[in-house]
Amino acid sequence: MEVGLPAEPNLQRSDAPRPKVGIVHLGPGAFFRAFNAPFTAEAIAKSGGDWGILTVSLRSTDIRDKLKPQGCAYTAAKLAPEGAEYTIVEVIDDVLVAPENPQAVLEAMADPGVKIVSTTITEKGYCHNPATGDLLLDHPDIAHDLKNSDSPRSAIGFVVHALNRRRLAGHAPFTFMPCDNLPNNGPLTRGVVMGFARALDPELAAWIEQFGRFPATMVDRITPATTPTDIAALATAQGYIDNACVMHEPFRQWVIQDDFVGDERPDWGGVGAQLVRDVEAFELMKLRCLNGTHSTLAYLGYLAGYETIADTVADPAFANLINALWKNEITPTVPQPEGEDLMAYCAALLERYHNPAIRHRTWQIAMDGSQKLPQRLLGTVADNLAAGRDIPGLALAVAGWMRYIGGIDEKGAAIDVKDPLADRLRAAYDSSDDPEQKIAALLAIDDVFAPDLAANAVFRNAVTQAFLRLVHDGAAATVQGFR
């Protein structure tokens, strides 16, 4: 039991029969537990099927240690302005920690009863170059996994070695379904899997090319990190302690390319998912309209002293900034998704951001910016430049990221920058006291900035001017003066 909590009993799983495992999911973090798992539990309740989920943590024991004592049941709390609504989710069968027993993970994925392997491992988990989409064959985990088929470390290593076991045993492949915020995440995932497979065994690569399926997805539900206060509030409201509980907003949207091996999948469409032929326009809409403005608010809001997104957009200047971004710089680059009204979608986003029950921390969203910027902001920048449109808001967002990764806030306090390139970014930032040289050093990091974009004089100048304003006036005043 967490220190300070009342002495209620811990949540325990009911005696209801468990469905057999049909899905292995890599990355059992809060988003998966607030989104994928409830969707799947609802699909089973509506239409049946052996779609129980075996989850795999690729690094930490934390989620396993919280879920296992509860029989892998947990509470999903829907946080609306009028109050919370609690649902107990019992679709997870077990939690494995990959480094403890990689063989068990491979055996589970190789089981022909498993029809789908899905992922929520964040952008960096795909071990690719965000600027090109290519697999990083020199990534330490990938290099290790190519030589160690029985003890992989990366998601991609586990997937390809498990597929190889199924091929050698004469079984069909599983569908590999990514659920992370990456543009064209299905084709991208196919690309990194094929890159690994070709390096491992050309015959395996040919088999995956012929029989594998990699449906693209677009997922959307704001899921703030669970706090001790959340756990205590749940205990007070429901009479039990659940250290694995998750918080989420009422809204959810799941768009799935309907392309599965043997057409085998849960009835997600029956409980609200959109099964479509082409996800790309939806994906781009979400990445640019939601994730792009989320990152903008995270960096500039953090620098302005705001702890959460709701706090940030409560400032009319920040609401004005993202409304202008949507209207002038983002939606002009987004193809019209079937059945969507882009400006109505953006208005709904702003309403979601204002939800005071969702304490989505700016610092949390700011993590791993080097992996997120190419998809969330820089593609939009490139499209606007190609069309001859100005980019004042996007340039300010990029400049905000640059100021943030410098590691010192506007009051002189250290920022805890969580990023796989944090050391390189800080070294580039500190390489010169001259702002233009500082920005040039950051733009030279081609893991983030494509060389042609970094060399674009309009982009460089816009980012430099925005950065100078942030340094001179501070984030709050700079946003206040944005027109």
Side-chain angles (χ1 to χ4, degrees), residues 13 18-26 32 36 40-41 44 48-56 90-94 107-119 166 172-177 260-261 263-268:
R13 190 177 187 125
R18 297 191 183 197
K20 293 179 181 178
V21 171
I23 300 172
V24 171
H25 184 86
L26 309 181
F32 159 76
N36 303 63
T40 304
I44 295 170
D50 287 326
W51 295 110
I53 305 173
L54 173 69
T55 62
V56 179
E90 297 188 332
V91 72
I92 297 175
D93 183 76
D94 200 359
E107 288 169 7
M109 294 167 71
D111 186 326
V114 169
K115 308 301 183 183
I116 298 169
V117 171
S118 53
T119 48
R166 291 174 77 125
F174 48 74
T175 296
F176 185 26
M177 183 179 70
F260 290 79
V261 174
D263 293 326
E264 293 186 284
R265 54 170 172 73
D267 185 18
W268 289 314

Side-chain angles (χ1 to χ4, degrees), residues 2 5 10-11 28-35 38 62-63 65-68 70 72-79 84-89 92 223-238 240-248:
E2 298 281 343
L5 290 179
N10 280 67
L11 171 66
F31 182 81
F32 159 76
R33 302 197 315 279
F35 187 85
D62 180 62
I63 300 301
D65 295 344
K66 290 177 178 178
L67 280 171
K68 289 281 278 188
Q70 304 178 176
C72 295
Y74 67 93
T75 309
K78 182 191 297 184
L79 303 181
E85 177 183 322
Y86 302 102
T87 301
I88 296 175
V89 182
I92 297 175
T223 308
T226 301
T227 67
T229 301
D230 295 325
I231 297 170
L234 170 62
T236 300
Q238 299 297 102
Y240 58 80
I241 293 167
D242 181 357
N243 289 315
C245 64
V246 290
M247 309 292 119
H248 61 77

